[in-house]
Amino acid sequence: MIHDFDSIIDRKNTYSTQWDFVIDRFGEADLLPFSISDTDFRAPERLLNKLHQVIDHGIFGYSRWNHADFKQTITHYYQRAHHTKVADDWVVYSPSILYSISVLLRLLTEKDEGILVFDPMYDAFIKVVNENDRKLLTVPLKREEHYKIDFALLEEKIAKCKVFLLCSPHNPTGKVFTKEELAKIISLCKKYQVYLISDEIHSDIILFDAIHYPILNWYNDYDRLILLNSASKTFNIPGLGGSYGLIPDQELRMEFLVQTRERDFVNSPSIMGMLATMTAYNECQKYVMELVHYIEENMRQLKNYLAEQLPEIQFELPQATYLAWLDVRGLPFSDDELQKALVQVGKVGIMCGDVYGAEGRGFLRMNVGCPQVKMLEGLQRMKQSMDFLEEG
């Protein structure tokens, strides 16, 4: 490997949400965190070199994103990485994916109208729907059936909603939707004229030879498709700001731009975030390959440790993301008892599954986007917590 993923980099006292503000999520400060989904890896050297050039230039004036260099970076990336053709004109800038979703929900729906999601779900989906006064509708994904989609139930729910909010690949389960599943989802959206918004922020981190299909592969079949993405997860640059959307519907795209430019005034991008995205997509694909390899090995190590030391915890290797979805329903403890022991005994911060919806009860979500030595220490702390509970 060219990139060093093994080095431990001290992130304390950097205003890190995961490290410095861990008390906000777990009630205690001195924890080893595996929570919020950024990684403990340095960004690629080529990306850092570009940022050094900007700093050395020393002028950080207002900037623009609406130019060929930025838009073609995105479109060329989709053609190269996913064999998906998208038009330059579809590209829009946004400060974050959740901001884009919030704007789109207000543009496409009215108060109390239904927004459909899979359960478990990315926890921010719950907030963005509820805080915009929309109605959250859910379709369960069951672990026992390898998160198979109940399409009869899905159709029943789609008929009652205006927008289907998809996380593809899926957070927190790590599921990659098959080509057949996506085709059926889009067919149902077309049947009931439902907009499909797909958050594809984890689409670079595809594991164990799975294949990710961007929803815009089906644009010729149905045009009410919106894809949202960012380089932030893959290259660990969320603090630089910036995301993008691909909105084929010209009328909706213009409405989105009016909202962002003329009502919310967030049109000027972070020059750091924009150039980081362009450099990442244009020059750092070797980093992605090495990152995927490293995460795959972390997942294997995690599975082996649990099988040997904590066999009551079930874990299936995910198809995507650096988020491990651990089934702790076989433990003779409640979620509250387990979380209390993890925090107070093991001094480790791992997200409780009920944060991600009703189907998340009895699970933990552990971020293993970190050096293996940190992950193994976290697992040892987990075992220490389990041993304490068993001793009673």
Side-chain angles (χ1 to χ4, degrees):
M1 283 192 179
I2 295 174
H3 193 87
D4 176 13
F5 294 99
D6 283 321
S7 291
I8 297 291
I9 301 171
D10 187 0
R11 297 183 63 193
K12 293 181 179 178
N13 302 312
T14 63
Y15 304 105
S16 163
T17 298
Q18 179 163 196
W19 287 84
D20 292 326
F21 298 97
V22 68
I23 191 172
D24 294 345
R25 288 175 180 256
F26 299 100
E28 293 197 15
D30 189 21
L31 304 180
L32 187 66
F34 297 87
S35 52
I36 193 169
S37 54
D38 61 12
T39 73
D40 291 317
F41 305 133
R42 278 170 58 90
E45 288 302 316
R46 290 191 178 189
L47 191 157
L48 295 175
N49 290 340
K50 173 59 70 174
L51 296 181
H52 283 302
Q53 291 175 17
V54 177
I55 291 171
D56 290 342
H57 184 255
I59 297 176
F60 311 103
Y62 291 111
S63 186
R64 297 279 182 95
W65 62 267
N66 197 1
H67 48 76
D69 287 350
F70 178 71
K71 293 193 286 188
Q72 289 180 5
T73 290
I74 306 303
T75 59
H76 291 170
Y77 157 76
Y78 271 87
Q79 182 64 51
R80 183 179 64 252
H82 298 294
H83 309 291
T84 300
K85 186 174 182 179
V86 298
D88 294 357
D89 289 346
W90 297 355
V91 178
V92 296
Y93 169 84
S94 169
S96 74
I97 288 179
L98 266 299
Y99 169 76
S100 295
I101 292 173
S102 186
V103 169
L104 289 165
L105 292 186
R106 293 194 297 273
L107 291 175
L108 296 172
T109 64
E110 301 293 335
K111 183 178 178 180
D112 296 325
E113 287 187 324
I115 311 298
L116 183 61
V117 297
F118 285 129
D119 186 356
M121 71 202 80
Y122 173 35
D123 57 312
F125 282 4
I126 301 171
K127 295 178 182 178
V128 76
V129 172
N130 290 339
E131 295 304 318
N132 277 294
D133 298 316
R134 272 55 177 176
K135 183 178 180 181
L136 186 70
L137 305 176
T138 63
V139 171
L141 294 173
K142 300 290 188 178
R143 184 186 186 280
E144 289 75 12
E145 302 175 46
H146 303 287
Y147 299 110
K148 182 180 178 181
I149 300 169
D150 182 341
F151 279 99
L153 179 60
L154 182 64
E155 179 167 8
E156 178 185 324
K157 294 293 184 74
I158 279 182
K160 300 176 182 177
C161 76
K162 289 294 186 71
V163 169
F164 183 17
L165 186 53
L166 179 67
C167 189
S168 176
H170 188 255
N171 172 9
T173 68
K175 175 183 173 67
V176 171
F177 296 97
T178 67
K179 193 173 186 178
E180 292 73 22
E181 286 174 326
L182 290 169
K184 288 182 181 179
I185 289 170
I186 292 168
S187 176
L188 289 174
C189 287
K190 182 178 180 180
K191 180 177 180 178
Y192 295 97
Q193 291 297 289
V194 168
Y195 271 95
L196 177 56
I197 302 174
S198 184
D199 173 355
E200 304 196 4
I201 198 168
H202 293 284
S203 59
D204 285 317
I205 307 171
I206 305 299
L207 310 176
F208 306 113
D209 298 320
I211 300 175
H212 169 73
Y213 296 96
I215 61 163
L216 291 178
N217 282 304
W218 286 269
Y219 166 71
N220 290 329
D221 297 325
Y222 186 53
D223 61 359
R224 294 190 175 188
L225 305 175
I226 303 161
L227 192 157
L228 305 176
N229 206 345
S230 171
S232 61
K233 300 290 187 190
T234 305
F235 301 95
N236 204 26
I237 53 173
L240 298 179
S243 73
Y244 59 88
L246 297 169
I247 307 178
D249 184 323
Q250 182 178 7
E251 181 178 352
L252 177 61
R253 188 169 66 247
M254 292 302 105
E255 290 177 354
F256 182 89
L257 291 174
V258 167
Q259 183 68 42
T260 57
R261 288 172 173 170
E262 300 175 21
R263 297 193 186 107
D264 294 345
F265 300 96
V266 295
N267 192 51
S268 182
S270 157
I271 186 64
M272 294 291 201
M274 181 178 67
L275 289 175
T277 297
M278 293 167 64
T279 304
Y281 279 179
N282 290 330
E283 303 180 28
C284 300
Q285 292 313 298
K286 176 68 172 175
Y287 175 92
V288 178
M289 294 172 60
E290 294 186 350
L291 174 67
V292 166
H293 177 79
Y294 196 89
I295 296 300
E296 287 175 340
E297 186 57 28
N298 271 5
M299 293 294 183
R300 291 190 190 98
Q301 294 279 353
L302 170 60
K303 187 173 179 63
N304 291 339
Y305 184 94
L306 293 176
E308 294 174 3
Q309 302 294 331
L310 294 167
E312 300 88 353
I313 299 177
Q314 299 299 306
F315 172 61
E316 297 296 331
L317 293 173
Q319 296 173 301
T321 83
Y322 44 75
L323 305 169
W325 189 234
L326 310 180
D327 185 347
V328 296
R329 291 175 297 176
L331 296 172
F333 320 115
S334 69
D335 286 358
D336 289 342
E337 289 173 327
L338 178 57
Q339 194 61 221
K340 184 177 180 180
L342 289 170
V343 171
Q344 297 183 0
V345 179
K347 298 293 183 181
V348 60
I350 302 174
M351 296 298 293
C352 189
D354 63 4
V355 171
Y356 307 98
E359 294 299 325
R361 296 190 187 105
F363 288 81
L364 296 173
R365 196 194 77 168
M366 183 177 186
N367 178 353
V368 299
C370 61
Q372 286 180 15
V373 65
K374 178 199 170 188
M375 182 189 73
L376 292 173
E377 181 180 349
L379 291 172
Q380 290 163 4
R381 292 179 181 218
M382 182 188 294
K383 187 176 188 307
Q384 179 184 359
S385 304
M386 301 300 103
D387 291 343
F388 172 82
L389 288 172
E390 289 176 356
E391 291 168 1

